[in-house]
Amino acid sequence: MQFDPRELEQTAIYKLLTGIVIPRPIGWISTISEDQIYNLAPFSYFNAVGDDPPHVMFSTVHSNNSNKDTLNNVLATKQFVVNMVTEDLVEQMNLTSQPIASNESEFELAGLTPIASSLVKPPRVKECKITMECEMVHHYKLENSKTGGATIVIGKIVLFHIDESVLLENYKINVETYKPVARLAGSNYSKLGEIFSIKR
């Protein structure tokens, strides 16, 4: 079968795309507002986009043609932190996905501990084994949308924080102790399953 996205409802496109592009890493993005309110939200349109210098991206939708707090905060401060989601933090991550008032903090909602970053203003999630402090270098709005569109944010990683429990020799990450979680379609998530190697 063939599907022309111009002829589909947006809900159908969403179901197809999020069911096809799997698994997707989750960028748990922490920001700070101009009123010094801490914000924390998960994004599965997220990935690394380069290592020289290291950059990551995430994309946030415009619900009802309005920006999410995360985007407003990043545009105002030009900074954010990526906190990587692991198996032990899935429930808290899910709590932070719900909409709450802009003057409330998802850290408090989910019972998480904000700790100061070293080079940027937004806090890190203390409970996360890996966090990355980032400075925004570019943002780009996707045009011609059906329901409000989305904005892609690209950030340069200025500092890595990696717990010793997940770090091996020669800067390698121990996936057995890291235990990352990825997003599938609908309400489904995945853990790491069988791992196999192919030499280049």
Side-chain angles (χ1 to χ4, degrees):
M1 299 181 72
Q2 297 181 141
F3 299 101
D4 185 336
R6 295 169 298 181
E7 299 174 356
L8 291 176
E9 293 290 332
Q10 187 57 35
T11 54
I13 297 172
Y14 176 81
K15 289 177 183 177
L16 288 173
L17 190 61
T18 58
I20 292 167
V21 184
I22 56 171
R24 299 186 305 283
I26 303 166
W28 208 6
I29 310 296
S30 54
T31 59
I32 186 171
S33 72
E34 293 182 295
D35 295 328
Q36 306 303 300
I37 304 297
Y38 295 156
N39 179 267
L40 181 64
F43 296 87
S44 66
Y45 289 155
F46 162 80
N47 221 313
V49 292
D51 60 73
D52 185 21
H55 284 73
V56 292
M57 65 73 62
F58 71 94
S59 177
T60 171
V61 299
H62 302 280
S63 300
N64 299 316
N65 286 303
S66 62
N67 292 349
K68 289 184 177 291
D69 291 337
T70 298
L71 181 58
N72 286 334
N73 294 346
V74 172
L75 294 178
T77 67
K78 308 296 190 288
Q79 297 177 336
F80 61 94
V81 175
V82 177
N83 307 274
M84 299 306 295
V85 179
T86 49
E87 292 179 19
D88 57 322
L89 294 171
V90 169
E91 292 298 331
Q92 290 98 319
M93 178 275 298
N94 191 44
L95 278 174
T96 64
S97 68
Q98 63 183 290
I100 63 174
S102 297
N103 62 351
E104 297 177 10
S105 174
E106 289 84 358
F107 278 89
E108 294 180 13
L109 175 70
L112 295 164
T113 311
I115 55 173
S117 295
S118 299
L119 300 178
V120 300
K121 293 179 181 179
R124 300 182 290 123
V125 176
K126 181 180 180 181
E127 290 78 5
C128 286
K129 298 182 179 77
I130 297 176
T131 62
M132 296 172 282
E133 298 183 27
C134 301
E135 294 179 348
M136 186 187 78
V137 297
H138 188 63
H139 69 284
Y140 177 79
K141 185 173 182 180
L142 302 179
E143 302 293 345
N144 302 318
S145 68
K146 295 182 177 181
T147 59
T151 295
I152 298 169
V153 175
I154 297 176
K156 179 181 178 180
I157 300 171
V158 295
L159 197 63
F160 292 94
H161 296 268
I162 303 175
D163 191 274
E164 291 182 1
S165 66
V166 300
L167 191 61
L168 297 172
E169 293 181 2
N170 199 26
Y171 306 101
K172 293 181 180 179
I173 301 298
N174 185 339
V175 295
E176 293 182 1
T177 56
Y178 179 19
K179 298 183 179 179
V181 171
R183 191 79 163 86
L184 300 176
S187 58
N188 295 323
Y189 293 81
S190 70
K191 303 176 183 179
L192 290 181
E194 179 184 355
I195 297 174
F196 62 94
S197 301
I198 300 176
K199 291 186 178 181
R200 291 189 179 186

